[in-house]
Amino acid sequence: MRLLTITLLLTLNAEASVGPATVAVILPLTGPDAEVARNMRAAVELARETLPALQTDRLDFAFLDNYACPDSARATAERLADQPEVVAFFAGFPDRCGAAVKEVAERRGVPYLIVASSADALTLGYNRYTFRLSPPSSELRDGIFAWAATVVGVRRPVAVTASDDPRFSDETGELLSGLAKVWKGKVTTHTFAAGTDDFCSLLDELSREEPTLVWLVGSEGDIGRFLVQCRETGW
């Protein structure tokens, strides 16, 4: 669905470009959010390599650093809006930078596709040029809880496994608060060190508990390494 949406957006706005159409991907490539940004960049590059519709000389992706600074994001978007080959803005992370780019996109008439799980406020109300792929966070949480209640059952044991990175403390708290309201079964919590390469002790604890469902909260890199070790250990 994401790739189809990207392709449609580019097709609709391709006539506005002079020469190869350029999609400006504006991310915090340096600073504390750089790991997330690198993963997002890798996802775009993978889509470019694997989706035939994106394998064309008429399309290019430009990756630009917003330095996790709204003023920098706004200045970058303003500069790009003056370039006729730039047909769309892409990303939306972090939220404060996404809001700055949105202001430019709406004022300058540049389609802006938000792909991160950005703040609900970015797409609330009327937007002519701003779109999002991820659902608003409130709808996403409600949908996940509804899925878990239906598929797993609210009386089954579940585990919440979260990174100790402060960036995820609010998300972890909201998850536990939501579970406290709807879940009837046992809920256990676990914490792992951000950036760790060894989840063996955590997997041992989970194996003893045998939860029906494990909720993971953390960076894509940490969750990816956790899932790899799950597969390697046969858990």
Side-chain angles (χ1 to χ4, degrees):
M1 176 61 74
R2 293 190 176 194
L3 297 180
L4 290 175
T5 305
I6 295 168
T7 303
L8 178 60
L9 175 65
L10 297 176
T11 301
L12 292 176
N13 211 44
E15 294 302 321
S17 67
V18 177
T22 298
V23 178
V25 185
I26 308 173
L27 295 168
L29 297 172
T30 55
D33 298 316
E35 180 184 2
V36 177
R38 286 194 296 269
N39 290 333
M40 294 176 70
R41 176 172 183 164
V44 173
E45 292 173 337
L46 179 61
R48 178 68 184 275
E49 294 172 1
T50 58
L51 187 67
L54 299 182
Q55 297 170 9
T56 171
D57 293 337
R58 298 181 57 193
L59 174 65
D60 192 19
F61 287 91
F63 296 91
L64 301 105
D65 197 347
N66 62 28
Y67 303 99
C69 172
D71 290 339
S72 176
R74 183 178 295 104
T76 298
E78 289 280 12
R79 174 171 55 83
L80 292 167
D82 289 329
Q83 301 176 19
E85 68 273 15
V86 175
V87 298
F89 298 148
F90 196 48
F93 177 78
D95 293 340
R96 57 188 181 277
C97 293
V101 175
K102 174 189 173 180
E103 187 276 324
V104 177
E106 291 292 325
R107 177 166 45 82
R108 303 292 298 274
V110 181
Y112 180 29
L113 185 60
I114 296 175
V115 296
S117 226
S118 303
D120 294 3
L122 288 178
T123 48
L124 290 177
Y126 176 76
N127 298 287
R128 186 173 182 181
Y129 294 99
T130 305
F131 312 88
R132 80 184 304 145
L133 292 180
S134 302
S137 299
S138 56
E139 293 182 10
L140 180 61
R141 285 192 299 272
D142 292 345
I144 290 176
F145 285 142
W147 170 85
T150 302
V151 177
V152 178
V154 296
R155 300 189 182 280
R156 305 297 293 275
V158 298
V160 175
T161 303
S163 167
D164 64 0
D165 188 324
R167 292 179 300 168
F168 300 104
S169 59
D170 289 346
E171 184 177 349
T172 303
E174 290 175 3
L175 173 58
L176 291 172
S177 176
L179 285 172
K181 296 176 182 178
V182 301
W183 214 258
K184 307 300 182 183
K186 183 178 180 180
V187 178
T188 58
T189 59
H190 303 270
T191 303
F192 60 85
T196 184
D197 290 317
D198 186 3
F199 293 92
C200 292
S201 60
L202 174 58
L203 288 173
D204 287 342
E205 292 180 29
L206 292 171
S207 296
R208 289 192 295 270
E209 293 175 6
E210 296 185 339
T212 305
L213 175 68
V214 177
W215 302 78
L216 299 174
V217 182
S219 71
E220 290 92 337
D222 286 339
I223 291 176
R225 289 190 294 274
F226 175 83
L227 294 175
V228 168
Q229 289 191 28
C230 285
R231 177 176 294 181
E232 291 174 347
T233 58
W235 191 77

